[in-house]
Amino acid sequence: MYTQFFQLKQSPFSIAPDPRYLFMSERHREALAHLLYGVGSGGGFVLLTGEIGAGKTTVCRCFMEQIPANCKLAYIFNPKLTVEELLLSVCDEFGIVLPPQGTGAVSVKGYVDAINAYLLASHAQGKNNVLIIDEAQNLSPEVLEQLRLLTNLETSERKLLQIILIGQPELRAMLARPELEQLAQRVIARYHLGSLSVDEVGSYVRHRLAVAGSAGASPFGTKLMAAIHRLSKGVPRRVNLLCDRALLGAYVEGKAQVTRQILSKAAQEVFGGEDAPRARGVWPYAAAGLLAGVALTGAAAWQLLPVGAGKGAASTPATARAAQASGKLAASAPAPAGRKATAQAAPGQVAQERPAAAANAPQGAAQSIAASAAAGPGTASTIGGAAAVSGVAADAALRQLSALWGNELADGEGCMAAAKKNLRCLQGKGGLAELRLLDRPAALRLRGEDPITARYVLLTALDGKQATLLLGGKQQVMSLPALEAAMDGSYVTLWRAHRSWRDEVSAGDRGPDVDWLARRFAQMHGLKKPADNQALEGATLRLLREFQGAQGLKADGVAGPKTFIRLSQLAGVPEPRLREQARVTASAANADGASAQ
């Protein structure tokens, strides 16, 4: 309905489980890691819980795509069954043929004997069997006890049947009952999938818009992300419902940007007034009227809604220009499991910007910004403390950062625009030690109460005693303790990758990015050049894990932005460097000192 209005190819916030919209936050990755660990360890039960709409099924689907080839999978999604019905479902899923039982019904013993015979035969063939039960909070205690008994069949090394229980939080309470203590003791891995953070909600919204074909300014400004998080409680499905209705409301009103007032009324429509009095469902009827040709304007449709339902600021030409001038700072993909970097994160619009010469540089200013960053210490001044650092808005910092790579971004352009120039954004959280390892300029977020409207400074050089920042188009030198006190640990940096590459690759993947990894490792170890289009497995996967461990990265076999960055650095790929710039600055300082003498 509204896709053409917002220049989208499809609806970005459908609640259908479309794999193209898969978004794995750090929590989802940790949940997936727990499932994979449980299968690999050979234990009995693995438990995954989470609120309704938190993404449990998404994690499960991702897990099902990554199970080893020697693993047979059975999936039960309607567990409101009796013991006999559940055992029959297990037989059906594994393809177990039941022996003829005459005219009578098959007994529990008949089912169990057939399942045990199948498991023994599978084990003899070197195969594992995994049973996934979704909505497991609906299982009765009798059925849970029967599942425990199924896991009694084991060798000296592993259980012949592994069971993954996925359900809502009450599943944990069920397993805490005294009568289920024996089952609870067999749970070797458990994970509760929490809600998304404010930053992750922003990344999630921008990710879905990008997949749906959004190429321009996001209809959801950065300042709305905190409100979206609060209204949706950080639950992905609730985010989808809220944003879908908000886009409908903006479409009805003919506005390219969702306002706080529109968002508030959307929440009343879809959540039934959890945070405010319930509003009447007007937008769907107004939209239908538009499609039918009814002469109902956006202003009239707005008047149909209750007065005072939301507290959005009035839209004026001045605020519209401010919103248009503000940009987006977007990161391109989620980081590997357990890492703090979130490569999908994409800072959105900031309502207003403080003046800064470099921050507000027009197109064509990339050379001047880069030249300013490369200038000698004779042009740099010293900053006394954290209070002296004012910083710039997120989009301005990204423009400065992109200029150091020789690329120009216009006002309002974010990481999606940078990606078209083979530059990817990486957002992470860590101290100066992590930035030394990355060894590239970065936009550092300053301390503040609100992460959405926080300010940034551009770090261009770093040595053992001080850091060089680009502020107001000029170099500023700051001591490392003062910088640590000024920044909150979050940063955004860039890394170069071909646009056909993925942001991360893992075991079993194929493609140009995997080919590059294989060739790079072969060069590093003096091995024969590998063939193209080979899966990431075997020796290449082993070398990847060894490399990650040696470089202080998470040795999970998932090659993400930090792995690609480090490999490019060791390969001597020309790109802006923090330490190299520090050496240039130090050399210039020595030359100035010699000439002064």
Side-chain angles (χ1 to χ4, degrees), residues 186-535:
R186 296 192 183 187
V187 176
I188 62 169
R190 61 181 73 206
Y191 188 86
H192 181 72
L193 189 59
S195 58
L196 301 178
S197 66
V198 175
D199 288 339
E200 288 170 334
V201 166
S203 302
Y204 177 78
V205 170
R206 285 181 285 270
H207 166 74
R208 295 191 71 97
L209 286 169
V211 174
S214 175
S218 171
F220 296 96
T222 307
K223 281 194 169 183
L224 285 182
M225 294 307 164
I228 293 174
H229 177 266
R230 175 178 57 82
L231 294 168
S232 68
K233 301 179 182 178
V235 177
R237 188 179 299 163
R238 289 172 61 95
V239 173
N240 285 359
L241 293 170
L242 176 61
C243 291
D244 180 73
R245 188 57 60 92
L247 287 179
L248 177 62
Y251 162 70
V252 169
E253 296 193 10
K255 293 184 177 180
Q257 289 280 314
V258 174
T259 64
R260 287 186 179 275
Q261 191 175 18
I262 291 174
L263 188 68
S264 176
K265 293 177 181 178
Q268 295 165 18
E269 288 280 342
V270 296
F271 299 143
E274 294 177 5
D275 297 290
R278 183 179 179 89
R280 290 171 291 171
V282 174
W283 285 332
Y285 303 111
L290 288 174
L291 293 176
V294 177
L296 178 63
T297 65
W302 186 255
Q303 294 299 323
L304 292 175
L305 288 169
V307 177
K311 294 183 179 181
S315 177
T316 65
T319 56
R321 286 193 297 271
Q324 194 174 28
S326 62
K328 296 193 302 179
L329 184 57
S332 54
R339 303 301 293 178
K340 290 186 177 179
T342 308
Q344 276 292 0
Q349 295 178 330
V350 179
Q352 194 171 356
E353 235 178 75
R354 287 193 287 268
N360 298 320
Q363 280 192 316
Q367 292 182 345
S368 63
I369 293 178
S372 177
T379 62
S381 59
T382 301
I383 306 175
V389 183
S390 59
V392 296
D395 67 315
L398 182 60
R399 292 200 301 273
Q400 292 177 339
L401 188 60
S402 180
L404 296 181
W405 291 76
N407 287 303
E408 299 175 357
L409 294 180
D411 289 352
E413 288 187 332
C415 288
M416 285 188 289
K420 296 178 181 179
K421 302 176 182 181
N422 295 338
L423 285 178
R424 308 281 179 90
C425 291
L426 170 66
Q427 184 180 28
K429 191 171 182 66
L432 294 180
E434 183 168 336
L435 292 170
R436 289 184 192 278
L437 181 63
L438 292 174
D439 193 18
R440 60 197 50 235
L444 311 181
R445 194 166 75 184
L446 300 177
R447 291 188 183 275
E449 296 182 359
D450 187 358
I452 300 298
T453 58
R455 314 291 286 182
Y456 291 77
V457 294
L458 186 65
L459 175 67
T460 61
L462 186 65
D463 60 25
K465 297 181 180 180
Q466 61 188 20
T468 304
L469 310 175
L470 188 63
L471 294 172
K474 297 180 180 180
Q475 284 194 105
Q476 305 275 356
V477 176
M478 193 174 197
S479 69
L480 299 188
L483 180 58
E484 290 274 18
M487 61 183 289
D488 73 350
S490 298
Y491 64 83
V492 179
T493 189
L494 295 172
W495 62 291
R496 195 179 298 280
H498 192 275
R499 68 179 62 185
S500 65
W501 287 15
R502 290 158 287 192
D503 290 299
E504 67 174 39
V505 292
S506 55
D509 286 344
R510 303 171 186 264
D513 36 18
V514 176
D515 294 341
W516 184 87
L517 282 174
R519 290 194 298 269
R520 184 72 195 104
F521 286 131
Q523 293 171 0
M524 292 171 62
H525 294 273
L527 303 177
K528 181 181 178 182
K529 180 181 178 181
D532 288 341
N533 200 32
Q534 298 297 305

Side-chain angles (χ1 to χ4, degrees), residues 86-167:
L86 177 80
L87 292 174
L88 177 59
S89 298
V90 172
C91 292
D92 289 341
E93 287 293 317
F94 282 125
I96 300 173
V97 179
L98 296 171
Q101 298 293 320
T103 58
V106 181
S107 66
V108 171
K109 182 179 183 301
Y111 287 123
V112 173
D113 288 346
I115 293 172
N116 286 345
Y118 164 78
L119 293 176
L120 289 170
S122 294
H123 177 68
Q125 298 172 7
K127 296 181 179 179
N128 300 325
N129 293 274
V130 177
L131 171 63
I132 300 177
I133 302 181
D134 206 349
E135 302 293 343
Q137 76 276 356
N138 293 320
L139 293 171
S140 66
E142 294 77 15
V143 171
L144 285 169
E145 175 61 15
Q146 182 60 60
L147 289 172
R148 182 188 70 82
L149 295 175
L150 286 180
T151 63
N152 281 342
L153 194 61
E154 59 187 4
T155 68
S156 58
E157 297 179 350
R158 65 184 299 120
K159 300 284 186 181
L160 298 191
L161 177 64
Q162 295 171 285
I163 301 177
I164 297 176
L165 300 178
I166 301 175

Side-chain angles (χ1 to χ4, degrees), residues 41-66:
S41 65
F45 287 86
V46 179
L47 182 65
L48 173 62
T49 57
E51 297 291 346
I52 299 173
K56 301 183 297 295
T57 303
T58 297
V59 172
C60 180
R61 288 174 179 269
C62 191
F63 164 75
M64 292 168 65
E65 294 176 355
Q66 299 187 32

